[in-house]
Amino acid sequence: MQKQSLRLLAATCLGLSVSAGTAHAANWSDNFVGYRYSPSYTEPTNPETITKNILSFTHASGYDYGQNFLNIDILQSSSNDPTNGGSRNESSTGGATEAYLTYRHQLLLDKVFDRDLAFGPVKDVALTAGFDLSTKNTAFAPRKRLLVLGPTLKFDVPKGFVDLSLLWGKEWNHCGLGAPACPEANVAFDPQWIVSLAWGLPFQAGRVPLKFQGFANYNSKKGRDYADVATEPEILVRASLMADVGQMMFDKKNTLWVGVGYEYWHNKFGNRYFGNGAKKDGILTTAPALQVEYHF
């Protein structure tokens, strides 16, 4: 079942990447494969830190009336995050595999209504819609399905972008542990509010071309979980400082980027307490990472 889900997710990713590039005549586009590594990740209820190697594909493009963003991460854990039926054994390299897909579309309202919607530091207003899909071959067997919709303020910056979104979100997910841990295998969480800040800011430090990029999300409570325990608000920040090594070494701008990143995740997935009131392990991630991007 997990293998079928992974195949379905991979096929969905491929279809979306093709449609994102062909549904509209793109005015600009950027595609890259990325890699990041850290030994400091965590997972809810797991007391161990987990090494993860993460391979990603990202597509971003813009057309006359909007923008597309597609990302898929394939996350390979160390055995401290075991597969279904496996056990924690740091001497073994095998661990769980997760696939996580994100798609967002922005419809630029100034283009749609043919009027200037700029005000103050805001250059445009967009309507953002999209979804997340995920699957992971652990005993928990999560299968996240998230829909989002809401307005985005696009700020006027000299280079790059800064976007602030207020999104309505609705999530469905799965727990394969069974009772008593998960009396309900499938849960439709309550709607939640998601405040999302995303940025990509290129700049120059002497002769070194750099960019500071990332996102910060605040997700409100989403009702009760599989064990009928109240969820808590969560905060996820993922940021990186990258150097354009391709330009410096090979005179090929925006080809090879190398840098460092950092992930902060508080109340991961809305987790905080067990039903008995005890605080869960693994709900706070503070993970410095090494990152590489190859653009094509």
Side-chain angles (χ1 to χ4, degrees), residues 240-252:
S240 59
L241 179 64
M242 309 290 288
D244 194 343
V245 174
Q247 180 177 342
M248 292 187 293
M249 296 184 63
F250 312 112
D251 197 28
K252 293 185 177 181

Side-chain angles (χ1 to χ4, degrees), residues 77-101:
S77 296
S78 63
S79 58
N80 278 349
D81 182 23
T83 60
N84 187 16
S87 61
R88 297 170 190 163
N89 177 7
E90 196 57 44
S91 64
S92 171
T93 58
T97 301
E98 179 181 5
Y100 198 105
L101 182 148

Side-chain angles (χ1 to χ4, degrees), residues 154-167:
K154 302 181 71 65
F155 289 88
D156 190 7
V157 293
K159 293 182 180 180
F161 71 93
V162 176
D163 291 355
L164 179 63
S165 303
L166 176 61
L167 305 173

Side-chain angles (χ1 to χ4, degrees), residues 255-270:
T255 301
L256 178 62
W257 294 83
V258 179
V260 293
Y262 185 77
E263 179 174 296
Y264 173 85
W265 203 334
H266 175 68
N267 291 343
K268 190 170 185 178
F269 305 130

Side-chain angles (χ1 to χ4, degrees), residues 6-24:
L6 284 168
R7 293 193 192 103
L8 177 61
L9 195 54
T12 304
C13 174
L14 178 62
L16 283 171
S17 64
V18 172
S19 64
T22 59
H24 306 282

Side-chain angles (χ1 to χ4, degrees), residues 27-40:
N27 298 330
W28 61 269
S29 66
D30 184 25
N31 299 288
F32 69 87
V33 291
Y35 169 78
R36 62 187 190 269
Y37 165 87
S38 177
S40 304

